Structure formats: structure tokens, C-alpha cells
Amino acid sequence: MKQYKAIIFDMDGTVLDTLDELTTSLAHVYGAHHLPVRTRQEVRAALGYGYTGLIKRTAPDLDPAEQQKLAEEFKTWYSSHCQGHTHPYDGIVSLLSALQAGGRKTAIVSNKGQAAVSELHEEFFSHLVSFSMGESPRYRKKPEPDMVWEALKRLGCAREDAVYIGDSEVDSMTARNAGLDVILVTWGFRDKEDLERLHPDYLVQSPDELARLLLGQ
């Protein structure tokens, strides 16, 4: 396998299990507006498109202005309640430590708002990953390539020497739009069968398998 110099990760569903926190935060916002509370599985299927995308996919009958209002409410609530049940998937800390020891450059690029991304980066990854980028007015959201290109610029790495790792169709499209190889993981927010249909360069089942793949072990 090609030895990548830079490895960019998605956050939710790839390095962090955030599903419980996102589900309870959405339930809080929807409950306050007397909207149907979505199940954990419904929220899982709607993730990957940022806060606005989550609202559009779980409250599709609302008009766009109301969806945007709810997205802002969700952003505010979740940004201050994004910890507690959130944790790295088993094996992720070891994987990132091994990549660091192996001299690989790493970063996280997420459609989650920057405030929550920064908070979670400081709690879990500040000693393991160079930086974590979240949604902001400066860059278009994934699957547009803007944030990935900015991350590569900060890492000082060319596209052909980098790979993007995620868990959804959004991540696959992001990598392709940015001109990077893509690795998809099966422990996140999409089922293995759905990921196989995306034809990633690699599909991996565990962080240990990913470590062996990236480090040539």
C-alpha cells in the first residue's frame, strides 16, 4: 500500500462516537418545539451533513426559515453539551499514537460547528492530532473540498501524498472532490453494505486494521 505522509480524518463516526450526545441534543431542541423526537437510528442515518443538514433530514416538512432557526438552536445547545457520553472509538487513541510515532501528519476535518470541534479536540486529541477544523463561514462544508485543501496547506502536504478517512458517502465525495484517496470505516454511522457501494480505495473493519494498513505493518 502507498505510504501516505498526511492522514486527514472525519470526526463524528470515524474517531469519535458522538451519536448519543447528538441524539439527546436533538431531542432537547425538538421537544422544546413539540416536534417528533427522532430515534437514535434515525439520527445516525441523517448525520454527516452538518447541523443544517441534520435538521433538514429529520424535520423535512418544515419551511427552510424554520429549519435554519432550529439549526442555530441546535448549534448553540450542542456546543455546550457535546461532552459527557462522547468518547473515542476503541483503538482510536492507539491508532493516532502509532501514526504520530511513525512520523505521519494528521488532522481532523468535520462538518460539525467549530466551537464543538475545538472543545472535543482539546479534550481528546490535542496531544495526538495537529489540529481539528469544523464548519465556519470561511470554508464551504463537505463534500466541497475547501476544508481538506486548507488542512493540506497547513500540514504542508501535497494531495497525492494524503488520504481522507471517514464513515459516510459525504466523506467519500469529499475525498474525491479534493483529489485524495479515500478510506471508509465500518464502525461509524453507515452500514458496511452502503459503504461497499461507494467503492472506496480501502474499506476497513477496525482501528487495528487501519493502523496496519497505514503503517505498512
Side-chain angles (χ1 to χ4, degrees), residues 152-208:
L152 290 176
K153 181 179 177 182
R154 295 185 193 181
L155 293 172
C157 186
R159 299 176 201 179
E160 57 267 24
D161 293 322
V163 63
Y164 190 80
I165 301 175
D167 68 302
S168 74
E169 70 282 356
V170 178
D171 298 312
S172 178
M173 289 187 289
T174 300
R176 300 308 187 197
N177 290 340
L180 272 64
D181 289 348
V182 59
I183 298 173
L184 296 178
V185 304
T186 61
W187 57 79
F189 297 159
R190 299 292 187 269
D191 295 332
K192 179 182 177 182
E193 294 76 15
D194 296 326
L195 299 177
E196 288 175 335
R197 286 192 284 269
L198 299 172
H199 303 291
D201 294 291
Y202 302 93
L203 183 65
V204 300
Q205 315 289 325
S206 71
D208 285 345

Side-chain angles (χ1 to χ4, degrees), residues 118-184:
S118 295
E119 189 170 345
L120 294 169
H121 174 88
E122 288 304 313
E123 179 172 2
F124 297 113
F125 303 123
S126 61
H127 60 300
L128 295 170
V129 174
S130 296
F131 57 86
S132 295
M133 292 179 62
E135 181 186 6
S136 76
R138 296 180 61 190
Y139 309 103
R140 293 177 297 172
K141 293 189 298 184
K142 301 184 298 181
E144 299 298 336
D146 302 36
M147 289 195 288
V148 171
W149 287 344
E150 175 62 22
L152 290 176
K153 181 179 177 182
R154 295 185 193 181
L155 293 172
C157 186
R159 299 176 201 179
E160 57 267 24
D161 293 322
V163 63
Y164 190 80
I165 301 175
D167 68 302
S168 74
E169 70 282 356
V170 178
D171 298 312
S172 178
M173 289 187 289
T174 300
R176 300 308 187 197
N177 290 340
L180 272 64
D181 289 348
V182 59
I183 298 173
L184 296 178

Side-chain angles (χ1 to χ4, degrees), residues 60-86:
D61 296 332
L62 297 180
D63 64 69
E66 185 64 21
Q67 289 175 340
Q68 188 59 45
K69 178 182 176 182
L70 287 174
E72 291 300 323
E73 286 189 33
F74 179 82
K75 178 179 179 179
T76 299
W77 176 265
Y78 178 71
S79 293
S80 59
H81 296 82
C82 61
Q83 298 166 303
H85 299 291
T86 291

